[in-house]
Amino acid sequence: METGSPDDTGTAGATRAADRAGPADQPSPAGPAGPAGPAGPAGPAREEPVWTGLPPGLLRMRRLLLVVWLGLLTLAAGVLPALFLAPLWAALALLPLALLAWGWVMLGRNWRSWRYAERADDLLISRGVLWREETVVPYGRMQLVEVTSGPVERHFGLASVQLHTAAAATDATIPGLDPAEAERLRDRLTELGEARSAGL
């Protein structure tokens, strides 16, 4: 006389069959649909742009100009009133000095805020301290890319890249670059602009 229910017999038989089967014969816990868990993102993650900052020569040039102009203003505000009015009026020189200290700090923050990034289809330019501004210049809309350098910029070994597009709102300028980098950027942007325009 056998003991146990038919359900027990079936369970035991299934267990013995699973023991005889190798690891490759046993189904994976995830099933045929693949690994369990939430589905991955629908597409590849968007690549972050590689930002490039401006060289420190631009900051030195701007701070030197600030010192020259405000230094002259400080002398005028302190010496002239003291000579023609009273020595007490020399305290007016404190105003340009305070403006010089404030401008020195703000120029550094503004210089650090400037950066640009070359992407596959466009050029990004970001700048601004209190109000951040980011300009996207598509390569296919570029009409003219030129390198300019004034007397003061040439003295400091700097140049600027000016971008002219089909829409004036997207025109942009990257100031204070090394001349070699400015020429490289001009040639690359011109080449990419011609290639994108030909593909339209």
Side-chain angles (χ1 to χ4, degrees):
M1 179 176 175
E2 298 179 354
T3 59
S5 64
D7 293 338
D8 297 337
T9 305
T11 303
T15 303
R16 287 192 299 270
D19 292 339
R20 288 194 300 269
D25 298 332
Q26 296 181 4
S28 63
R46 186 173 181 180
E47 183 179 356
E48 289 294 328
V50 179
W51 294 100
T52 302
L54 300 183
L58 177 65
L59 179 60
R60 289 195 297 267
M61 180 189 73
R62 289 179 172 177
R63 282 179 169 173
L64 177 61
L65 293 176
L66 178 71
V67 169
V68 169
W69 289 110
L70 287 183
L72 294 176
L73 183 59
T74 300
L75 290 175
V79 175
L80 295 179
L83 290 177
F84 295 100
L85 297 176
L88 186 61
W89 287 94
L92 291 175
L94 295 177
L95 295 178
L97 287 177
L99 185 60
L100 174 61
W102 177 81
W104 186 278
V105 175
M106 291 304 298
L107 284 177
R109 294 183 60 187
N110 180 265
W111 170 76
R112 285 189 294 270
S113 72
W114 273 88
R115 55 183 185 167
Y116 63 94
E118 302 172 55
R119 299 197 300 184
D121 299 317
D122 50 40
L123 177 72
L124 298 181
I125 302 175
S126 178
R127 61 205 177 273
V129 179
L130 298 178
W131 289 273
R132 296 289 300 173
E133 182 178 353
E134 188 169 290
T135 303
V136 181
V137 185
Y139 296 139
R141 299 182 65 86
M142 290 185 185
Q143 294 182 335
L144 177 64
V145 182
E146 58 181 350
V147 176
T148 61
S149 182
V152 179
E153 287 181 313
R154 287 197 303 270
H155 177 75
F156 284 88
L158 301 173
S160 299
V161 175
Q162 295 184 352
L163 312 173
H164 302 278
T165 63
T170 56
D171 288 357
T173 301
I174 305 177
L177 297 176
D178 294 328
E181 170 64 11
E183 293 177 1
R184 182 203 68 82
L185 193 60
R186 177 199 59 193
D187 296 341
R188 174 172 169 78
L189 294 179
T190 301
E191 179 182 355
L192 291 174
E194 293 175 352
R196 296 298 190 277
S197 298
L200 294 179

